[in-house]
Amino acid sequence: MAKIPQRKIHDYLRHDKKFPHVWCAGCSNGIVLGAVIRAIDELKLNRDNIVMVSGIGCSSRMPVYVDFNTLHSLHGRAIAFATGVKMYKPGMKVIVITGDGDATAIGGNHFIHAARRNLDLTVVLLNNNIYGMTGGQYSPATPHGDKATTTPYGNIDPNFDICKLAIGAGASHVARTTAFHAIELQKQIKEALEHPGFSLVEAICACPVIYGRLNKKGDAPAMMRNMRDNSIPIKAAEKLPPEQVAGKILRGTFIKEVRAEYTDAYQKMMDQLSPKEGE
Amino acid sequence: MTKEKATSKKTEKVEAIVEKKVTKAVIMQGNEAVAKGALAAGCDFFAGYPITPSTEVAEILSNELPKIGGTFIQMEDEIASMCAIIGASLAGAKALTATSGPGFSLMQEAIGFAKITETPTVVVNVQRMGPSTGMPTSPGQGDIMQSRWGSHGDAPAIVLYPDSVKEAFQLTIRAFNLAEKYRSCVVLLMDEVLGHMREAVTLPDLSTVRVINRIKPTVPPQWYKHYDENQKYLSPIASFGEGYRFHVTGLTHDDHGFPTNKPNEAAKMMERLNKKIKHNIRDLVQIETEHMHEAKVAVFAAGIMGRASKEAVKMARAEGLKVGLLRPLTIWPFPDDAVTKMLKDVDAVVVPELNEGQLFHELERLVRERKDGSLHRLNRNDGTVITPAEILTKIKEVYNG
C-alpha cells in the first residue's frame, strides 16, 4: 500500500469538483474508497472503461468523487442499473458500491439474482450495520440486540450474514474484511476485479457517529481497534473451537470458483444463432 | 462472433425480420407490432418481466434480439427492468421495456430517474383493467393519469397512444425517436384489446422509416457537459465508455451532472426539463381529426376508444348528423391548442373512456370559461369496451339535447 503515494489517489479523484465529501469524521468509507482506487491502479485498468454504479446511502455517495464513468442510481437498485450497463457493454469493468441496507434490504432481490446469474460485477458492500444517511435506523445487518433509532428497546431482528447470503444465491467470488485491514481489503478488491463472474467484497465499516454512539462502541479509533481485536481470518477460525469463533468477524475469501459467466453465456447463445463463416 | 461484429450485421438482419412483412398485408397482433416497431427503430436492448397482457412483446424480442446482436434479459421484477434499461441506455443502447398496470406502478420511481437524468428510454404499458391486479385480460384506460403523474416530483411526460395495430408499429418507432431526440422516458400506452387484437396490416418499407438517433458530443471530454443547453433545450449525450467520464445522479444536479443544493441551479434544471417539452410542443403533439370543420358535436377519445369513436362518428354521419372526431395520438403533453379550438367550434363534446373520466378532467380544465352542459362523459369501468353503437346513442342524446 505504502508503495503508492497519496498523489496517486488524488489523480483518480474529482478533487476540483466535488470536495469536501459528505462523510463524517471517523467514517470508514474513505478507507474503502482508497482501497478501491489502489486496487484499480494496481491492475492498471483504463478509467474510461470503468463504470462505478451505486445506490443511495452514505457509501453510495462514493462515485461522485471519482473520475470514472459514474452512476449514482436509486435506493437498492445499483445492481439492476449495473446489469443494464454490463449486459450492453460486456467489455466494461462494472463496479457496484453499495451498503448493507441498500444491497440486502431494499435491493435484496437484485443482489441475489445478479449473484445467481453470475454476472461479472464487482460488488463492494460497505457494511456499517446501520442506515447512516437517514440518521441511524436498523438495517438487516444490525446485530441482534443492538440499538438504532428505530430499535430503542434493542433489535429483535436476527441479522443477515451477507457473505453466506451471496454464496447461497450463487456468487462465485465472496470475500470479507474490515476497514482496519486496509491492505487486505485492497487485495480482496483486486482479486474481485480480476474474477470473471459475480464477486462480493464485504467491507465491515465503522460508523462512530451514529451506530457507535448509539451502541457505546467508543470513538472511531476504538471501533477500529475493535475490528482488529474482534476479527479472525477464516483459516485461523477453522482451527479454533466454535465458542472462540462465535461473535467474531470472519475475514478472508469464502469462495472463489470460476463458473459460466452470464455475458459469456449470452455471447455463446448469440454465436450459435449467427450463421457460420463461409455459409 | 463478437458483439461488435453482430451489431454491424444488424441493419440487414432487422430488414430480414421485418421485410417479409412489408410487401403485403399480414395478420398481426398489437404486441407483435410493438416488437417489430422497436426493431425497426433500432432497439437493441430489452429488459422486462412477464405480465399479462404485454408478455408477447418480451417473447418476440427474446427470439429476435439475440439474432441481431441485441440484448434481451428477463429481470427479477419490473423495478429492475426499468433500472436495467436506463443503465443500458447510458451505455448507448436504444432500450425498451414492456409491462402492464401493476408493473408500470413499480417502474414509476425509475421512470422519474430517467426523466431527471434525461436518459432516453421507452416504456410500453399495455393497460389492463385495474386497480391492483384487477382484470388482467380485460381492457381499461385507468393509467392515463398515471402515465402523466405517476412518478413523484413534477416533471413533464411524453405519452403516445395508438388505436390500431399499424399505428402501434408507427408510434413505437416514434416513441424511440422522441426518446432519443428529447432525452427522456417516452411511454407508449396500449389497450389490452389492441395488444391482443390481430388485424391485417401493411407495414411501411423499412427504407422509408425515419429513425432518429441521439446527438453525440463533438467537444473534447474536458468541455463536455452532460446537460448542455441550446435554444431548443436539446443537447448531445455521451455514453459510458466513450472517454467522457460523466456523472449521473437522481439528485438535483448542475449542467455537468453533479449534485447541487443551490436554488438557482435547481431552478435551471427544472426549467430545462419543462422547457424542452414546452418549446417543442408542435413537434410532440399529434392529433387525428375527422369532419371537425363542420361539426356541431365532437367526440374526443384516445386509444381503442378513439377507434370505437371513429366508427360511431361514421355511423352518425351516415344518419346526417354533423359530428366530428378529435383523437390525440400524443396524450401528454396534452393537445391544449387543438382541444381549445374544438371546444370553441362545437356545441358539445362527448368523451368516451374506459375509466371514471381521466381525459375528461383535462377537457374540464380547458373549458372552464364556457357555460356548463357542453362536456359529456361516457365512462365504463367493468373490463368491457364501449361499443360504437353506445357512443352513437350518446352522440344523439347530446345532439338533440
Side-chain angles (χ1 to χ4, degrees):
Chain A
M1 181 177 71
K3 275 181 246 162
I4 302 161
Q6 287 299 308
R7 186 71 208 170
K8 203 75 195 174
I9 288 179
H10 198 253
D11 268 0
Y12 285 88
L13 298 178
R14 288 167 170 155
H15 46 79
D16 56 339
K17 289 175 184 149
K18 289 321 299 174
F19 282 78
H21 59 68
V22 297
W23 297 322
C24 307
C27 174
S28 300
N29 289 1
I31 298 172
V32 182
L33 171 58
V36 170
I37 289 176
R38 287 191 300 271
I40 287 169
D41 189 75
E42 228 182 304
L43 290 168
K44 302 206 171 2
L45 299 177
N46 176 1
R47 63 181 85 180
D48 284 340
N49 206 33
I50 296 172
V51 186
M52 188 184 272
V53 188
S54 69
I56 296 292
C58 295
S59 53
S60 289
R61 283 299 186 103
M62 192 183 288
V64 75
Y65 305 123
V66 287
D67 188 20
F68 305 125
N69 302 279
T70 51
L71 171 53
H72 177 219
S73 75
L74 294 169
H75 194 28
R77 317 300 171 206
I79 290 174
F81 279 87
T83 299
V85 174
K86 184 70 186 178
M87 285 301 287
Y88 192 69
K89 284 194 171 157
M92 295 198 82
K93 187 55 87 182
V94 183
I95 302 166
V96 174
I97 303 293
T98 183
D100 45 312
D102 194 55
T104 69
I106 187 167
N109 204 23
H110 315 307
F111 181 71
I112 58 173
H113 286 281
R116 172 178 64 81
R117 293 183 188 109
N118 197 29
L119 181 68
D120 184 15
L121 302 176
T122 304
V123 179
V124 180
L125 191 155
L126 291 81
N127 180 359
N128 63 355
N129 309 108
I130 206 148
Y131 286 94
M133 186 69 82
T134 47
Q137 298 73 32
Y138 70 104
S139 86
T142 303
H144 185 81
D146 274 6
K147 292 276 175 66
T149 59
T150 45
T151 55
Y153 312 112
N155 182 19
I156 61 166
D157 282 27
N159 61 292
F160 265 139
D161 180 326
I162 295 172
C163 287
K164 280 186 182 166
L165 175 67
I167 294 165
S172 54
H173 185 281
V174 176
R176 177 198 288 136
T177 188
T178 80
F180 176 83
H181 303 86
I183 300 169
E184 187 174 78
L185 179 61
Q186 178 188 338
K187 192 169 150 271
Q188 286 186 359
I189 294 170
K190 186 186 165 203
E191 281 177 11
L193 285 166
E194 288 176 310
H195 177 76
F198 186 93
S199 52
L200 169 75
V201 176
E202 182 188 2
I204 304 295
C205 292
C207 171
V209 171
I210 302 174
Y211 177 74
R213 183 173 50 81
L214 288 171
N215 291 287
K216 302 191 167 47
K217 300 278 184 187
D219 57 7
M223 289 185 81
M224 295 299 275
R225 278 194 295 276
N226 187 54
M227 288 179 192
R228 178 192 67 194
D229 300 338
N230 207 27
S231 68
I232 34 176
I234 304 168
K235 286 205 177 109
E238 280 165 1
K239 291 170 197 153
L240 292 171
E243 61 273 16
Q244 285 185 36
V245 179
K248 302 274 188 198
I249 299 164
L250 290 183
R251 301 187 339 254
T253 303
F254 294 90
I255 190 169
K256 187 180 174 63
E257 291 176 8
V258 175
R259 297 189 213 131
E261 193 274 325
Y262 196 70
T263 59
D264 276 351
Y266 191 84
Q267 185 62 54
K268 278 184 186 136
M269 180 180 74
M270 284 201 295
D271 291 347
Q272 282 170 1
L273 291 168
S274 65
K276 303 276 181 296
E277 295 292 328
E279 265 179 37
Chain B
M1 186 170 64
T2 66
K3 188 158 178 159
E4 287 69 28
K5 271 192 211 161
T7 313
S8 71
K9 286 187 180 177
K10 208 172 90 182
T11 320
E12 52 190 282
K13 281 189 175 174
V14 172
E15 277 174 24
I17 293 161
V18 187
E19 200 169 9
K20 47 191 169 188
K21 312 285 183 191
V22 302
T23 45
K24 55 179 183 187
V26 288
I27 302 289
M28 194 185 281
Q29 195 190 50
N31 286 344
E32 194 181 348
V34 167
K36 305 282 186 206
L39 292 169
C43 170
D44 55 2
F45 190 96
F46 181 95
Y49 186 81
I51 184 167
T52 305
S54 75
T55 315
E56 291 82 2
V57 179
E59 286 174 345
I60 293 165
L61 291 173
S62 73
N63 199 41
E64 302 301 344
L65 281 171
K67 292 185 202 162
I68 57 168
T71 307
F72 173 91
I73 184 167
Q74 185 170 304
M75 296 298 288
E76 52 274 14
D77 58 30
E78 286 92 347
I79 298 172
S81 304
M82 189 63 213
C83 296
I85 70 166
I86 298 169
S89 179
L90 287 167
K94 281 189 159 184
L96 172 74
T97 188
T99 187
S100 186
F104 194 54
S105 295
L106 288 176
M107 289 176 183
Q108 291 302 331
E109 187 194 12
I111 287 175
F113 186 91
K115 285 180 182 173
I116 197 174
T117 62
E118 304 186 43
T119 308
T121 39
V122 178
V123 178
V124 176
N125 173 8
V126 188
Q127 295 170 96
R128 64 197 222 185
M129 167 79 186
S132 189
T133 312
M135 297 163 82
T137 56
S138 299
Q141 298 183 314
D143 303 351
I144 284 172
M145 282 297 170
Q146 195 190 12
S147 71
R148 173 65 189 89
W149 300 108
S151 197
H152 63 280
D154 197 343
I158 304 174
V159 182
L160 313 181
Y161 204 167
D163 78 335
S164 67
V165 172
K166 182 170 184 177
E167 207 173 87
F169 177 84
Q170 291 166 330
L171 289 192
T172 303
I173 296 168
R174 186 166 150 79
F176 273 96
N177 286 348
L178 295 179
E180 293 284 310
K181 187 172 176 185
Y182 293 102
R183 290 182 55 177
S184 192
C185 175
V186 176
V187 173
L188 181 81
L189 274 190
M190 296 265 290
D191 290 295
E192 184 278 333
V193 279
L194 180 56
H196 282 161
M197 178 171 66
R198 291 174 196 279
E199 64 179 327
V201 284
T202 311
L203 296 183
D205 192 308
L206 259 196
S207 60
T208 66
V209 169
R210 183 162 171 254
V211 172
I212 298 174
N213 293 315
R214 63 191 72 173
I215 312 164
K216 302 303 288 182
T218 50
V219 296
Q222 66 271 24
W223 294 352
Y224 178 68
K225 285 181 182 175
H226 195 57
Y227 307 94
D228 205 356
E229 280 190 13
N230 61 30
Q231 284 182 323
K232 287 195 161 181
Y233 291 89
L234 308 173
S235 59
I237 174 171
S239 301
F240 287 157
E242 293 176 344
Y244 288 88
R245 299 203 299 271
F246 54 94
H247 183 64
V248 175
T249 177
L251 288 166
T252 298
H253 43 256
D254 60 21
D255 47 13
H256 278 97
F258 291 117
T260 179
N261 281 322
K262 293 180 185 140
N264 62 324
E265 287 177 346
K268 195 176 165 196
M269 186 198 79
M270 288 311 296
E271 189 180 283
R272 249 185 79 77
L273 294 182
N274 285 299
K275 282 201 173 163
K276 73 176 174 183
I277 304 297
K278 280 185 192 153
H279 283 211
N280 296 291
I281 206 108
R282 276 159 192 253
D283 185 37
L284 290 165
V285 165
Q286 253 190 344
I287 51 166
E288 183 193 12
T289 58
E290 274 186 11
H291 313 294
M292 282 302 293
H293 58 286
E294 48 166 17
K296 203 178 135 201
V297 169
V299 183
F300 182 83
I304 204 68
M305 289 323 299
R307 185 165 177 158
S309 300
K310 203 185 288 182
E311 193 59 29
V313 167
K314 203 187 286 175
M315 289 153 73
R317 293 191 66 81
E319 295 184 26
L321 303 178
K322 287 183 177 169
V323 180
L325 172 79
L326 198 156
R327 181 176 70 86
L329 281 72
T330 303
I331 56 165
W332 305 113
F334 197 72
D336 280 12
D337 290 350
V339 171
T340 306
K341 185 175 182 310
M342 168 186 78
L343 293 167
K344 219 176 281 168
D345 293 348
V346 301
D347 294 339
V349 183
V350 174
V351 192
E353 292 180 83
L354 302 179
N355 53 45
E356 297 296 326
Q358 298 194 7
L359 288 172
F360 189 81
H361 287 312
E362 288 299 299
L363 267 65
E364 278 186 322
R365 171 174 68 82
L366 295 168
V367 82
R368 206 166 290 152
E369 284 122 46
R370 279 175 63 115
K371 61 183 187 296
D372 288 340
S374 58
L375 289 186
H376 301 269
R377 51 170 92 221
L378 179 57
N379 305 114
R380 179 160 296 166
N381 218 349
D382 63 359
T384 62
V385 294
I386 304 170
T387 64
E390 288 167 317
I391 298 169
L392 180 64
T393 307
K394 186 73 182 179
I395 290 170
K396 284 180 181 168
E397 196 185 302
V398 168
Y399 202 89
N400 300 323

